[in-house]
Amino acid sequence: MPTSLKEFEAAWANRSNPLDFSGVWRFRRLLPFAPDDQIVTIGEGQTILQQSDPVGKYVGMDAGRLHLQYEGLNPSGSFKDNGMTAASTHARMVGAKIAACASTGNTSASLAIYASTTGLFRVVVFVGSGKIAFGKLSQALDYGATTIQIRGDFDDALKQVRAVCAEGGIYLCNSVNPFRLEGQKTIMYRVLEGLGWEVPDWIVVPGGNLGNSSAFGKAFIELKKLGLIDRIPRLAVINAAGANTLHELYEHKGLRWNDGRPDQSLIDSFYTDMDERNRRAQTLASAIEINRPVNLKKCLRALDACDGVVREVSDAEILDAKAHVGAGGFGCEPASGASVAGARLLRKQGIIAPGDRVVCILTGHQLKDPDVTVGYHAAESNERLAEKLAGGGVVERPFSNGPIVVDNDFQRIMEVIRQIE
Ligand code: F0G
């Protein structure tokens, strides 16, 4: 095992070795489950930690204190590639012929790209009807995955794929697969790398199936145990208000890790009540439209280790935050905007201090969900998109930047141009 995180810098000079080039596998000594010759990599993890004052100002931070971790720069455009390279490696190790997942879109895009580029296995993806952003659906289709569209939502699709995999001997790639989480630990290693191996005060991440938050907690618990960091950052997990199981259980019902024995009766009665009311997840941030997060207990462990908090934010807050990430950074998909909206809320509540060093994880690329982005900026010119946003309670769009419609006439165009300050 390494004695200092700085040791990983040796890999930077060795880019011709694909394992050292990979932003996941250059840390392979911290996820040592695969021999080098079995590792499946497509160059994932070349992501950037960007300090952003425009977004920091919106959040309410002092200059220089807010950082954005752009996981949308991965090959399939989301953080999922960090975990999928590890799951694909394990699938290869056990000789899987078919791999499957249920997805709100990004997991399926990621699994599909690993299958298409490596040819190691075939892929079946399960998605909910009308519940997946077109950018993501287009990826699964284009990469050649067999795509099964269930008449139901993600929670239904996940239940089905688990049963199908158990029955059909198919390799399951959802984040119940522990190797996914091993890979996702490396997002935190790269955050530390981006900060010159210093530990930030806060990591803020959207919560859906709670794989990321679980993996981040595990990463920090291990680094601390290995003596590679001297303290653990605080973790904030941000739910969409329309898919807020973790927020309800953690902040309102007092569910805790409790040394590995969380109160199961709290969880059971929450789900029973949810079923009785037939309450389904609903948010424009379709990536995190999940009411039954499979990694709930592991996330409780992460929250325990990281002195964590959970918050919920509305779709309107998510989209306003997303517009700021676009205007002040590289942009992101709606679910990722939740982390910036959540940081802003925690700043307002005085839980995050203006001088804290904060890292918001931007989980997915801006181009994943053009419908919501165009809807936010230009709803007046598209009834369908306006309706979609109104369905999420987004009526005001204070940071919209719509197109200016002009006649095909040089003089008229120049009149508009002259008004630009
Ligand atoms: N952000 C994006 C862009 C996502 O795609 C997801 C999850 C999350 C956040 C939530 O992360 O599940 O680790 O808490 N997407 C999954 C999928 C469910 O199927 O692509 P989590």
Side-chain angles (χ1 to χ4, degrees):
M1 274 295 145
T3 54
S4 147
L5 286 171
K6 256 184 122 31
E7 283 177 31
F8 289 104
E9 292 175 12
W12 298 347
N14 201 20
R15 290 168 66 85
S16 58
N17 175 352
L19 301 191
D20 284 331
F21 177 72
S22 164
V24 171
W25 298 107
R26 69 170 172 263
F27 298 103
R28 58 194 177 282
R29 281 192 288 166
L30 297 173
L31 47 150
F33 69 87
D36 281 8
D37 64 359
Q38 290 292 302
I39 288 175
V40 178
T41 176
I42 61 169
E44 57 288 317
Q46 311 303 323
T47 64
I48 287 177
L49 184 79
Q50 185 207 37
Q51 188 247 306
S52 175
D53 280 344
V55 180
K57 193 170 169 212
Y58 176 68
V59 170
M61 305 300 301
D62 290 345
R65 304 311 283 170
L66 186 92
H67 292 75
L68 303 171
Q69 175 71 13
Y70 287 103
E71 287 303 310
L73 298 178
N74 274 292
S76 80
S78 87
F79 75 93
K80 302 288 180 183
D81 297 348
N82 292 286
M84 210 53 80
T85 182
S88 300
T89 297
H90 185 251
R92 177 191 205 172
M93 288 166 73
V94 299
K97 298 276 178 291
I98 306 179
C101 68
S103 184
T104 55
N106 281 325
T107 302
S108 47
S110 183
L111 179 57
I113 202 177
Y114 276 89
S116 67
T117 49
T118 65
L120 285 169
F121 40 76
R122 301 227 2 239
V123 160
V124 186
V125 304
F126 289 60
V127 299
S129 287
K131 295 289 186 181
I132 171 171
F134 264 22
K136 306 173 190 183
L137 181 59
S138 70
Q139 289 180 286
L141 301 176
D142 213 28
Y143 296 142
T146 301
T147 304
I148 298 185
Q149 201 162 334
I150 306 251
R151 292 200 184 87
D153 64 12
F154 172 82
D155 294 316
D156 299 320
L158 182 58
K159 194 170 164 202
Q160 294 293 357
V161 78
R162 288 178 87 160
V164 166
C165 286
E167 176 75 21
I170 293 173
Y171 188 87
L172 179 61
C173 283
N174 279 100
S175 54
V176 284
N177 179 325
F179 297 97
R180 285 268 313 277
L181 302 193
E182 285 304 295
Q184 285 171 214
K185 292 190 306 192
T186 65
I187 301 170
M188 291 301 103
Y189 306 154
R190 294 198 301 276
V191 164
L192 296 177
E193 189 176 50
L195 295 174
W197 308 114
E198 284 179 17
V199 178
D201 298 303
W202 285 93
I203 300 289
V204 190
V205 65
N209 233 354
L210 305 179
N212 250 351
S213 42
S214 301
F216 296 176
K218 186 169 192 282
F220 288 120
I221 292 168
E222 291 173 355
L223 290 180
K224 181 91 194 313
K225 223 182 235 173
L226 290 167
L228 295 171
I229 53 174
D230 54 7
R231 67 182 180 92
I232 289 180
R234 295 191 69 184
L235 178 69
V237 183
I238 314 299
N239 274 162
N244 62 355
T245 295
L246 180 69
H247 180 255
E248 286 295 307
L249 284 171
Y250 189 78
E251 296 291 344
H252 291 154
K253 309 236 181 272
L255 181 67
R256 289 294 180 276
W257 171 240
N258 192 26
D259 282 331
R261 287 180 302 280
D263 185 346
Q264 186 65 41
S265 68
L266 279 180
I267 303 172
D268 291 343
S269 66
F270 182 82
Y271 284 146
T272 304
D273 180 64
M274 193 161 81
D275 289 343
E276 277 170 10
R277 291 163 195 254
N278 196 22
R279 201 154 57 80
R280 312 301 301 195
Q282 183 145 30
T283 168
L284 290 170
S286 57
I288 51 175
E289 193 173 46
I290 296 171
N291 260 354
R292 290 179 181 272
V294 291
N295 293 299
L296 176 64
K297 289 186 187 167
K298 290 180 186 172
C299 177
L300 294 175
R301 177 174 180 245
L303 289 164
D304 180 69
C306 303
D307 189 14
V309 297
V310 182
R311 289 294 179 269
E312 59 174 1
V313 289
S314 69
D315 283 0
E317 290 169 313
I318 288 174
L319 295 194
D320 288 349
K322 175 185 168 312
H324 280 85
V325 176
F330 302 173
C332 64
E333 71 162 277
S336 315
S339 54
V340 172
R344 185 165 187 260
L345 176 62
L346 289 164
R347 209 13 243 114
K348 269 194 188 152
Q349 294 174 337
I351 295 168
I352 291 181
D356 283 350
R357 180 134 70 164
V358 176
V359 177
C360 291
I361 310 302
L362 299 182
T363 45
H365 197 280
Q366 192 232 20
L367 295 175
K368 288 281 190 176
D369 192 350
D371 266 16
V372 169
T373 306
V374 176
Y376 185 88
H377 290 296
E380 37 290 283
S381 55
N382 189 315
E383 216 170 283
R384 182 182 67 84
L385 297 182
E387 257 171 43
K388 184 171 174 146
L389 261 69
V394 180
V395 185
E396 307 212 345
R397 296 170 287 109
F399 308 105
S400 67
N401 176 40
I404 303 165
V405 181
V406 195
D407 287 339
N408 183 18
D409 176 279
F410 179 74
Q411 290 309 332
R412 291 272 161 80
I413 293 169
M414 281 314 295
E415 281 165 25
V416 173
I417 299 293
R418 285 195 194 99
Q419 284 166 25
I420 299 173
E421 306 242 317

